[in-house]
Amino acid sequence: MSELMDAVRSGHKGRTVSLLEALTDAERRSHLTELKELRKELRAAPWDAPARRAYPTLYLAGIVCQTGASAVAAWIAASDMRWPTPSPGLLLRLLGGRPADWLADLAHRLAQRPESTGVSYPLMSGLVRLAGCPAPTTDAYVRGWVGDLEDNRQRGCTLEDRLRADPHLEPMVSALFETNDIGGRLEWGAGQVPGTWAGALARLTVDGPLDRKMIVDACVSRLLRGGTSSDSRAFLRLLTALDLTREERSERVADWQGLASDAPSPVAAHAQTVLGELALAGELTPRQLAEMSGAVLFRTEKKLVRSQLVLLGKVLAQDAASADTLLPAVAQGFGHQDPDIQERALKLAERHLKKASDPGTRAELLLVAEQLHPGLRTRAADLLGTSPAAPEEEDYQEYLPPFPEPTRLAPPPATAPEAAEEVSAALASPPSVAEFERALDGLVRWAHQDQKGLSAALEPVFARCWWDKDEAQGARSAESRFITNGSGVFTASSGLEILLATVRGKIRTGKLLAVVRTGVSPSGCAHAAPAAAFEARLWEVAYRIRTEPLPFLLSTPTWSTGLLEPDELVDRLDAYRRSGARVAETDFAQALLRVRRADPVAAAAAAGRAAALGTAEGARLAAWLTAEVPQPTSSRRTHGGRLLVELNEVPDLQDGFPDAYRPLGEPVRGFKGWQCYRHDHALQRQWLAILPERRELTAGWLLPEMSLLAVDGARGTAGVLPQLAETGGAAGEALHLCLAYGLSARHPEDRLATVDALLTLAAGGGLSAERLGTEIRLLIRTGALKPTRLAESLRTAAATGAYRTVWEVLEHALPPLLADLSFGGTPAHGLGDLVGVAAECAERCGARGALPHLDRAAERRGTSMLVTQARRLRDTLATPATSPQ
């Protein structure tokens, strides 16, 4: 081994540097082969002390001994070299003797690497300095430049001073406007040092060295291009700091129009202000203002729309001759979804219509007046001198999505490799009920038929399991992963891995038996019952694979919802009887809970066949199929603004069931252990298949977590609600409370999932609009729900065609909330939005009649959203129904 390689392997940096500096170019090249061999060796070696010592010196030696700039750049940026590296100063010292062109080439090659490679900016900038070349303007270099200016602050030296002293200022600032997602970095340290990026760059355009026109054009262009919200904030701040003159603003009218129509709200508001000033100063033609207004009035931000109507009113008051051009633009507000905006636009038209001289203006307003809500159409007709057109009354038809039909599970895997493929797919991503159950049944079947063949087919799957690679720990490593205080199944994938580890021999039989005998440890949380049942079946199946493999599972469902056809279960029990196989206790228990009993005729016929088997399991199934299905009684509790349902005992889920399944029938108390280690949203889909005909009980287990969606801003739990709505059984208080909380969830994806569940439940005939409306009203009163979120969710549901369904919900929710106003109460924030949704639904579905306490709200003074929408709803409900022609 050479002296240099000995120093590199030992990690002696000082000695390595001395030897490298003494080498000639030829000697350096001669060491490359050994250095590459050492790198290959360290890649395959454990991450231990020798590797930690050798990597920094190997990094140094490889950089110095390479000859080409491309090879050096690749060595510096290599992922396996991301270890505490030598200082950039030392690298620059070792590379400083290379030709300037070579150093420039290296600098630009490093700058082209992604920022994620972690190439040091001081190294790149040092190479640029040594080479005397232009600075690169890549994303990585620009980000490094910004970060370096922020990180290396000098006492008494402002950001402006540091920028002014930069020899590459102009190209770097130009590149700044072309760099994506840089806005967040431009805001770093704004409150820690004198000046900000916006202020410093603006001042540098006043007295040099930056060209002001170039900076203004680049800033406006950057805002037009769009980007992240942080980019918009940063460049808008710069544009504001530049304080454009009247001439600079006037020459960019087209740009302001583009920003006002398409840019994010803060940028659009700035552009709107600029255009407004130009319009009031007479520097914007009525045609230009009308074009800009058409775009702004189409936006959903109410503040922007209101500001635009105010601007139009000022210009109309100032210039009567512009009425024929601007009033059609005002009329664009007639089609806005907010009735307050519609009324403002109509008032503006009423105030200035007399200034219009062109008859076509009145005709144009008449055409768009049909978009006004019914309460304003009469006023518009009076204004335009016509009688309101009688609405074409059509029989309203509710459009609900078709209720999802369950799909039949595919036949079991026909070969061991096919079973291995099913398992591999289920491990790759959270499986559905059907995917999980087919993979589980395939493992069980082939462990019984050909366990050696199954093991061979599973080799690629074993190779991806970390517990199969730890030969030193053997079975104990897998056991520590899967068995913790008697239980450790956190996901459906973990459940399959228990069976895989059993087939592989990574879990000892004694450990499996211990868990089967003692059961899983109860956590005391609201999920303890379904989790214990789910886990117990897996542990018993794993134990039977080791000791007495099952020919197949009795509990594999027939349908994707988890339901099992009674005739199919009888056939399976008959096959067990003929083969002499011993039934697994938990597998049979799960089969009973899944068997379909909703069809009494089919259940009775299957019960007769089951009794004729002459086995204990057949008799148990026959009695189960003919027994009455009791529903749990419930009571309510409140806690911290939350309203929860506590379900009482269900005896038929306890009598004759294994210990692990009896908690399913125990009372559900929603206030204990709201969160636990079983907090896995994907696993909740499997719980739905434990009791597929008793969704109210499942909803009781899920309800505490659903309340967190609205009250604490939790995320993701509502994803299970659409599948819950598809299952069978009564839909009671617990399920409707789940919907109420989900409709007011903080995160949009949870609200959309709940809307899907609402529509599914309505399509299946399980939704009680009265019950859901009552729950919504009660939860708004406790402060658990935000009406603005509810309004958004219900508007989304209605827009699918379910206007009558949503109206019926709000018809029961609103009267008590409106009644509070009669006694001087303060309306809940956002109540006006809910009334607005109710008004829209009533208009669409043709609802008529009186709504208690609505008149009081409509007669209140003012033009608040609540009052405006209450008047709209009152007028709609009071509109006489027309007879079909």
Side-chain angles (χ1 to χ4, degrees):
M1 182 185 297
S2 67
E3 188 178 1
L4 175 63
M5 292 305 300
D6 182 60
V8 169
R9 284 184 175 276
S10 63
H12 198 297
K13 187 166 69 173
R15 184 176 163 207
T16 301
V17 171
S18 299
L19 291 171
L20 289 171
E21 288 181 320
L23 294 176
T24 64
D25 286 346
E27 289 172 332
R28 290 169 180 163
R29 286 193 294 272
S30 69
H31 287 291
L32 268 177
T33 301
E34 288 181 288
L35 291 170
K36 290 178 180 178
E37 287 297 325
L38 176 58
R39 181 181 180 185
K40 187 184 298 184
E41 176 186 329
L42 292 178
R43 281 175 176 170
W47 191 247
D48 53 9
R52 291 197 295 271
R53 286 196 304 269
Y55 261 114
T57 48
L58 174 62
Y59 179 79
L60 260 181
I63 292 173
V64 175
C65 292
Q66 300 277 2
T67 55
S70 175
V72 174
W75 193 279
I76 290 174
S79 59
D80 59 325
M81 292 295 178
R82 294 180 193 175
W83 181 252
T85 54
S87 68
L90 176 57
L91 293 178
L92 292 171
R93 177 181 129 195
L94 293 171
L95 295 172
R98 307 288 178 99
D101 290 346
W102 189 94
L103 293 172
D105 187 17
L106 176 60
H108 282 262
R109 287 179 182 276
L110 290 174
Q112 290 168 3
R113 299 274 174 170
E115 186 185 16
S116 59
T117 58
V119 177
S120 164
Y121 170 78
L123 173 61
M124 293 188 289
S125 62
L127 290 169
V128 169
R129 185 177 64 255
L130 289 175
C133 64
T137 55
T138 64
D139 279 11
Y141 195 87
V142 173
R143 293 176 192 279
W145 177 71
V146 172
D148 186 69
L149 286 169
E150 288 291 343
D151 294 340
N152 297 291
R153 305 184 184 100
Q154 301 174 9
R155 188 179 298 275
C157 185
T158 65
L159 175 61
E160 180 183 346
D161 295 332
R162 296 195 297 278
L163 287 169
R164 197 179 293 276
D166 193 316
H168 305 286
L169 178 63
E170 284 197 65
M172 294 307 297
V173 170
S174 296
L176 200 64
F177 293 101
E178 302 300 324
T179 304
N180 292 324
D181 200 16
I182 193 67
R185 301 199 180 195
L186 297 181
E187 296 177 317
W188 286 356
Q192 303 175 27
V193 294
T196 62
W197 275 92
L201 292 174
R203 286 190 293 274
L204 290 174
T205 66
V206 176
D207 53 0
L210 295 178
D211 180 72
R212 180 175 176 84
K213 186 176 187 308
M214 182 274 290
I215 295 299
V216 173
D217 287 343
C219 189
V220 173
S221 297
R222 185 67 180 78
L223 290 171
L224 282 168
R225 196 176 82 193
T228 63
S229 57
S230 60
D231 281 351
S232 297
R233 287 195 305 269
F235 291 108
L236 177 60
R237 188 175 290 114
L238 173 57
L239 185 63
T240 305
L242 287 167
D243 191 20
L244 271 58
T245 63
R246 178 61 60 81
E247 292 74 18
E248 289 173 325
R249 296 182 180 193
S250 298
E251 64 188 20
R252 294 176 175 82
V253 168
D255 293 333
W256 305 127
Q257 288 179 317
L259 291 173
S261 61
D262 295 324
S265 292
V267 179
H270 177 81
Q272 185 185 49
T273 300
V274 172
L275 288 170
E277 293 173 356
L278 294 175
L280 294 173
E283 297 182 32
L284 196 70
T285 67
R287 176 58 55 195
Q288 289 174 318
L289 178 58
E291 291 174 357
M292 169 245 189
S293 298
V296 174
L297 293 176
F298 188 73
R299 296 183 66 124
T300 57
E301 300 95 327
K302 297 175 185 178
K303 184 176 180 180
L304 285 176
V305 175
R306 286 194 293 264
S307 297
Q308 192 65 25
L309 291 175
V310 170
L311 172 60
L312 287 168
K314 290 180 179 180
V315 175
L316 284 166
Q318 181 176 295
D319 180 13
S322 64
D324 287 318
T325 302
L326 295 184
L327 281 175
V330 170
Q332 297 298 313
F334 292 178
H336 199 276
Q337 65 179 10
D338 184 358
D340 178 60
I341 298 296
Q342 292 186 12
E343 187 167 13
R344 286 171 182 261
L346 182 58
K347 284 182 178 179
L348 195 57
E350 289 173 336
R351 191 177 304 126
H352 298 285
L353 183 61
K354 60 181 178 293
K355 300 176 182 178
S357 57
D358 185 354
T361 301
R362 187 178 296 270
E364 195 167 346
L365 264 64
L366 181 62
L367 183 64
V368 296
E370 296 178 0
Q371 301 178 41
L372 292 165
H373 70 75
L376 294 177
R377 288 177 195 162
T378 302
R379 281 176 54 183
D382 293 341
L383 170 67
L384 299 171
T386 64
S387 58
E392 295 182 5
E393 194 76 16
E394 298 180 0
D395 291 337
Y396 172 76
Q397 184 174 357
E398 186 87 343
Y399 290 98
L400 292 172
F403 189 78
E405 293 293 334
T407 57
R408 183 178 285 272
L409 265 65
T415 64
E418 186 179 337
E421 289 178 5
E422 294 282 347
V423 173
S424 180
L427 292 177
S429 61
S432 66
V433 169
E435 292 166 342
F436 175 78
E437 292 293 342
R438 286 197 77 242
L440 183 63
D441 188 46
L443 278 175
V444 170
R445 286 175 183 270
W446 286 99
H448 175 266
Q449 295 180 40
D450 182 8
Q451 194 158 153
K452 288 184 178 180
L454 176 64
S455 295
L458 287 171
E459 282 296 337
V461 181
F462 292 144
R464 298 199 302 269
C465 298
W466 68 268
W467 43 262
D468 193 54
K469 300 171 184 175
D470 194 351
E471 296 296 338
Q473 295 294 325
R476 294 183 184 276
S477 178
E479 289 168 3
S480 65
R481 165 66 175 85
F482 296 119
I483 305 176
T484 304
N485 295 327
S487 179
V489 182
F490 307 125
T491 66
S493 298
S494 299
L496 290 175
E497 285 194 70
I498 287 175
L499 272 66
L500 290 175
T502 301
V503 172
R504 192 63 159 171
K506 292 290 185 177
I507 302 180
R508 292 170 291 180
T509 306
K511 284 290 184 180
L512 293 170
L513 178 59
V515 177
V516 170
R517 283 180 173 175
T518 60
V520 294
S521 59
S523 66
C525 69
H527 307 142
F534 179 79
E535 295 171 14
R537 182 170 67 126
L538 293 171
W539 285 112
E540 186 177 16
V541 167
Y543 175 69
R544 290 291 297 271
I545 284 177
R546 182 65 54 78
T547 59
E548 188 183 354
L550 299 168
F552 52 82
L553 291 177
L554 294 172
S555 56
T556 301
T558 307
W559 303 100
S560 57
T561 57
L563 278 174
L564 172 59
E565 287 298 325
D567 277 333
E568 192 167 339
L569 179 54
V570 174
D571 291 340
R572 293 175 186 175
L573 285 174
D574 188 32
Y576 263 66
R577 179 186 62 80
R578 286 185 279 105
S579 66
R582 184 169 62 89
V583 171
E585 187 180 27
T586 55
D587 182 39
F588 181 58
Q590 182 59 81
L592 288 178
L593 297 178
R594 285 178 173 168
V595 71
R596 188 168 67 93
R597 297 195 284 176
D599 183 350
V601 175
R609 290 184 58 215
L613 293 177
T615 63
E617 290 79 17
R620 175 82 168 99
L621 175 59
W624 179 258
L625 287 171
T626 54
E628 183 181 354
V629 183
Q631 296 298 327
T633 58
S634 62
S635 58
R636 288 177 174 253
R637 291 277 303 278
T638 57
H639 178 75
R642 297 173 176 86
L643 181 63
L644 298 182
V645 170
E646 296 189 343
L647 302 177
N648 297 322
E649 186 179 38
V650 186
D652 76 314
L653 294 180
Q654 295 179 299
D655 298 340
F657 280 93
D659 291 343
Y661 276 74
R662 287 175 185 166
L664 295 174
E666 293 178 354
V668 177
R669 300 293 179 240
F671 287 91
K672 61 176 183 178
W674 283 24
Q675 298 210 34
C676 66
Y677 75 87
R678 296 182 175 97
H679 189 78
D680 179 77
H681 299 150
L683 184 58
Q684 291 172 348
R685 289 191 293 180
Q686 308 300 327
W687 296 347
L688 304 182
I690 294 176
L691 292 168
E693 283 191 325
R694 302 199 189 199
R695 59 184 168 193
E696 180 68 4
L697 189 53
T698 307
W701 297 327
L702 297 174
L703 181 56
E705 273 191 78
M706 293 299 169
S707 70
L708 301 180
L709 294 171
V711 180
D712 295 338
R715 183 194 292 266
T717 310
V720 74
L721 287 180
Q723 288 79 33
L724 180 60
E726 293 177 27
T727 57
E733 292 176 307
L735 181 52
H736 284 79
L737 274 172
C738 286
L739 292 178
Y741 284 120
L743 290 171
S744 186
R746 176 181 178 181
H747 299 284
E749 62 269 27
D750 287 306
R751 295 199 294 271
L752 285 174
T754 310
V755 168
D756 286 344
L758 169 67
L759 296 174
T760 298
L761 195 63
L767 179 70
S768 168
E770 180 179 1
R771 173 167 282 165
L772 181 57
T774 300
E775 307 297 8
I776 286 174
R777 178 250 302 175
L778 293 173
L779 289 171
I780 288 177
R781 279 180 164 175
T782 66
L785 304 189
K786 295 185 181 301
T788 49
R789 295 178 188 167
L790 272 170
E792 181 181 343
S793 298
L794 292 175
R795 184 177 286 113
T796 301
T800 66
Y803 290 101
R804 176 160 292 157
T805 298
V806 175
W807 161 249
E808 290 172 352
V809 171
L810 291 174
E811 185 182 22
H812 292 94
L814 288 176
L817 298 174
L818 296 173
D820 294 341
L821 304 179
S822 303
F823 301 97
T826 302
H829 178 69
L831 180 58
D833 292 313
L834 271 182
V835 177
V837 175
E840 181 179 359
C841 290
E843 292 169 0
R844 296 274 190 159
C845 72
R848 298 292 184 266
L851 189 70
H853 309 290
L854 177 62
D855 289 345
R856 290 282 186 90
E859 291 166 1
R860 289 164 63 94
R861 295 180 180 179
T863 57
S864 67
M865 170 72 78
L866 175 58
V867 173
T868 302
Q869 298 289 7
R871 292 169 183 168
R872 175 189 176 189
L873 178 56
R874 179 193 60 185
D875 294 345
T876 299
L877 295 176
T879 302
T882 59
S883 302
Q885 298 299 321

